[in-house]
Amino acid sequence: MDAKKKTRVISVDGRFPQPKVINFAAREILHGKLVAFPTETVYGLGANALDEIAVNKIFIAKNRPFQDPLIVHIGSITDLHLLVNDIPVDVYMLADVFWPGPLTFVLFKNERVPNNVTAGLDKIAVRMPAHPVALALLRSCRVPIAAPSANCFGKISPTTAKHVIDDLDGSIDLVLDGGSTTIGLESTVLDMTCTPPRILRPGGISKEDLEKVLGPLTVHDGRQSIEGGDAEETPQCSPGMLSKHYAPRAELILITIPNTKSALKKMRQLSKTKICEGRIVGLLLADEEKCFFADLDLQIITIGSQLQKESIAKNLYSGLRELDEKGVDLILAHDFGKEGLGLAINDRLRRASNIIIDK
Ligand code: TXA
Ligand code: MG
């Protein structure tokens, strides 16, 4: 696409999307254009998944390596047959509970799926999003939409249309602005081609909730993929599983000391040292933690109560972006437990971090 061309932004009602807007965006998709749209997790950058040339444009716009496979979105479970020949029974059971929603299945693809969608792999990642705008778009254009998060490769995923424009203005055709996304973290990616199924990326559906349907599950340890782990253990191409991903511009130090009080003490001590070294320090905190730092010269962003992981997840990426905008060169953050959404929050914070301090 012509780099000087301006990206069009059109507002759309996030709950009751106007058919006129949706039909226009659907025509753009069918004409091979790139359309960013809200899902319940993050904004996606969409192209017709069955149009190899359109899919190519996604990689170019995001500066994404061609070895990194995309998630394909569908508007109904029956559309799964367009992409996959043999659908395991467990997929129907899970889809019945969690679709539409933030759960992505990895399945063996069929011959209709262009190779660039899956980066040459014989497996495809598929999900049915719950956001009214995403669903209306999928149902209007009647083709599956390949859509990674609508950010530059390796950076923080967008949870507002403004975030999309900040990263991709001039490189894509259209953004549907349907307001902030509700979950704020990407979908859970579940590999259904192995037994038992394995979580490749923790996300909007918790491990505990999946286990209620499937029994005990394993979680892929993403660190294997950069430390040259067993090739069979490491899906070849999984950008969200690279160790440095979802990253702000500033350096990020993550404190993973289990006891919150000790973690906050460590953050205070580190803040003082770094300020003395001349660093511009920002903190990412839960609401109730701000008062511990009131006397220090810091930029502080709070992202919700410790007791409400949903709020921490929803505000995590915008909090990191805000700290970047405030011009800090160092961000200190702590983790948020392993239960429920905590697993996905910590996964993203780990991947965003340069240094992890655990004692
Ligand atoms: O919530 C989401 O999943 C968002 C919204 C837009 O739907 N999408 C998203 O896409 O996060 P992306 O491209 O940023 O992340 C794709 C994830 C990566 O973690 C990648 O490893 C995994 O999906 N993935 C895609 N295809 C795969 C495949 N064939 N095998 C294994 N993992 C795959
Ligand atoms: Mg992404």
Side-chain angles (χ1 to χ4, degrees), residues 174-205:
L174 175 64
V175 183
L176 292 182
D177 182 353
S180 297
T181 61
T182 47
I183 294 175
L185 288 179
E186 300 81 351
S187 61
T188 303
V189 179
L190 185 63
D191 187 350
M192 298 301 294
T193 67
C194 50
T195 313
R198 186 161 56 155
I199 296 175
L200 298 180
R201 178 179 72 180
I205 300 290

Side-chain angles (χ1 to χ4, degrees), residues 83-105:
L83 310 165
V84 175
N85 288 342
D86 296 314
I87 302 169
V89 175
D90 280 349
V91 167
Y92 287 108
M93 277 170 53
L94 289 164
D96 193 49
V97 181
F98 299 111
W99 272 11
L103 177 62
T104 297
F105 298 120

